Amino acid sequence: AGFIKSPLSQKRLTQDSVELYCEAIGNPIPEIQWWFEGNEPNETYAQLWDGARQDRVKINATYNLHSTSTIYIANLTVDDSGMYECRASNDPDRNHLSKTPKIKWIRSQANVFVIERPNVIALVTVSSGKLILSCNVTTPYASIEGHEWMSGDKILQKDTESNAFTSYTIEGKMEEHSGVYDCIYKTNPVIRAQVNISVPPQVVAYKKSEHGNEGDTGVLTCKSSSFPPVGSWVWYKNGQEPIINGSGRFIIKSGSNKTELRILKLSIEEDTGDYHCNATNSFGFGGSTVNLRVRSRLAALWPFLGIVAEVLVLVTIIFIYEKRRKPDEVLD
């Protein structure tokens, strides 16, 4: 037996993706193939393979106890509309070019409709200390049953209005709310558009002042959660050239939202001072400063030695005082 576990009819927009899942049971374990028939009158079924359609088709199959196969098609076009067929067979002659298999291929089908994506104008405007995010569908489309605004997995706002225009208002500055926002139209298929609040990197030092002991490893960290992500990080010390990763005692580890400078075997004379972390993205640059103080390894002993010295002085004073106040011996 063979069957597709996905809906038998699916609607998608151009540039979206679709995934179909098929299972087959038999002994011996059957092979699964994927075939496609377009909507053109003279078009016939053609087999699909992994990497077809300019590498937009991905097929994964497993054969363990029973057969399972998934076909995934990315960046859909109108030409991807049609009937997708999952075929399963365990006949030894199933792929023979001249012999007809005794056991026919078992087939299961799903129809995919790809609709031209409507044009959505997405804008960000600033008014009286507020950010207004808006989306507007400018081409005719099927009935709209509501809207949602999302940031990541979080729903920010929803309604059941049927307007082509929808907006979401944020109190505050762009620097405080940069990121990717999605406006979603509840239609079939769903229309989704992105509204980006983009700013130069807003860099913050994890600690404005760091301390390290001579001979230890010093770690300085800067972060930026702004959008777009940071493309490049640069560290340098006051009045000096940029620090190169791996040069001397410096190791730099950077990502899209964080950078870390490690200084091996700290030196009081060479490493004490201000370090600057600079970030750059497609909208500009920003930076922050970290002050590094390097202490002698004996620094922890000075308080102890001070206490010992105070005790010795105090004992000496008491001893001298007691010695002087002792009465002279008187003969009987």
Side-chain angles (χ1 to χ4, degrees):
F3 53 90
I4 288 182
K5 277 194 170 181
S6 307
L8 298 182
S9 180
Q10 297 194 39
K11 290 183 179 180
R12 292 290 188 272
L13 296 175
T14 52
Q15 302 172 25
D16 282 348
S17 61
V18 67
E19 186 175 75
L20 302 173
Y21 179 77
C22 182
E23 284 189 6
I25 301 170
N27 187 19
I29 297 173
E31 175 195 2
I32 293 179
Q33 295 180 359
W34 288 94
W35 293 70
F36 170 76
E37 183 183 47
N39 293 329
E40 295 297 325
N42 297 327
E43 196 164 354
T44 58
Y45 275 102
Q47 186 175 356
L48 295 171
W49 66 92
D50 189 52
R53 299 181 184 174
Q54 298 180 328
D55 207 32
R56 293 188 298 113
V57 174
K58 300 294 181 184
I59 297 176
N60 294 313
T62 59
Y63 299 96
N64 184 17
L65 299 181
H66 65 283
S67 308
T68 63
S69 182
T70 302
I71 184 169
Y72 175 85
I73 307 167
N75 198 21
L76 290 169
T77 68
V78 175
D79 293 336
D80 294 320
S81 296
M83 187 68 71
Y84 289 81
E85 189 172 87
C86 162
R87 298 182 181 179
S89 176
N90 57 5
D91 192 304
D93 297 327
R94 61 185 176 273
N95 293 315
H96 201 283
L97 296 178
S98 57
K99 290 184 180 180
T100 302
K102 297 176 183 178
I103 302 173
K104 299 295 183 182
W105 289 87
I106 298 171
R107 308 181 182 195
S108 188
Q109 297 176 331
N111 208 350
V112 176
F113 300 92
V114 182
I115 305 168
E116 195 71 46
R117 177 176 292 275
N119 185 37
V120 179
I121 297 177
L123 294 173
V124 178
T125 55
V126 180
S127 177
S128 303
K130 298 179 181 179
L131 304 174
I132 302 173
L133 284 59
S134 64
C135 287
N136 190 22
V137 178
T138 59
T139 51
Y141 199 71
S143 60
I144 299 170
E145 297 179 358
H147 313 87
E148 282 185 357
W149 282 90
M150 297 185 68
S151 177
D153 296 331
K154 183 180 179 182
I155 298 176
L156 306 172
Q157 176 180 291
K158 61 170 63 176
D159 62 57
T160 56
E161 298 178 2
S162 59
N163 300 330
F165 177 86
T166 179
S167 66
Y168 174 67
T169 302
I170 301 174
E171 299 277 352
K173 300 178 180 179
M174 294 184 69
E175 291 77 10
E176 300 169 352
H177 300 281
S178 67
V180 177
Y181 296 81
D182 292 308
C183 62
I184 301 166
Y185 290 83
K186 295 179 182 178
T187 55
N188 185 21
V190 169
I191 302 172
R192 180 187 291 260
Q194 277 190 357
V195 184
N196 297 335
I197 299 180
S198 304
V199 297
Q202 307 299 300
V203 181
V204 177
Y206 181 68
K207 288 183 180 179
K208 288 288 185 181
S209 180
E210 288 280 3
H211 299 80
N213 293 324
E214 189 177 22
D216 289 347
T217 298
V219 181
L220 313 180
T221 305
C222 289
K223 298 180 179 181
S224 173
S225 57
S226 306
F227 181 85
V230 174
S232 65
W233 290 94
V234 177
W235 282 93
Y236 66 93
K237 194 177 178 183
N238 270 344
Q240 298 181 12
E241 293 295 319
I243 298 172
I244 299 174
N245 185 25
S247 64
R249 296 175 289 110
F250 300 106
I251 298 174
I252 299 173
K253 184 179 180 181
S254 299
S256 60
N257 61 356
K258 179 181 177 181
T259 183
E260 183 181 270
L261 170 65
R262 288 181 175 266
I263 308 173
L264 308 178
K265 297 180 181 179
L266 286 173
S267 166
I268 295 177
E269 295 79 12
E270 297 179 22
D271 300 325
T272 300
D274 289 335
Y275 290 79
H276 303 272
C277 53
N278 281 7
T280 305
N281 66 11
S282 55
F283 272 73
F285 60 89
S288 188
T289 302
V290 185
N291 178 261
L292 175 62
R293 298 178 183 179
V294 183
R295 298 173 296 199
S296 169
R297 277 196 173 276
L298 300 177
L301 292 176
W302 293 122
F304 174 73
L305 294 176
I307 294 172
V308 172
E310 289 179 1
V311 171
L312 290 175
V313 170
L314 184 60
V315 169
T316 303
I317 292 173
I318 293 172
F319 177 78
I320 295 172
Y321 177 75
E322 289 294 328
K323 189 72 174 176
R324 287 188 174 184
R325 71 183 291 269
K326 187 177 182 181
D328 295 331
E329 291 183 358
V330 179
L331 293 175
D332 292 333

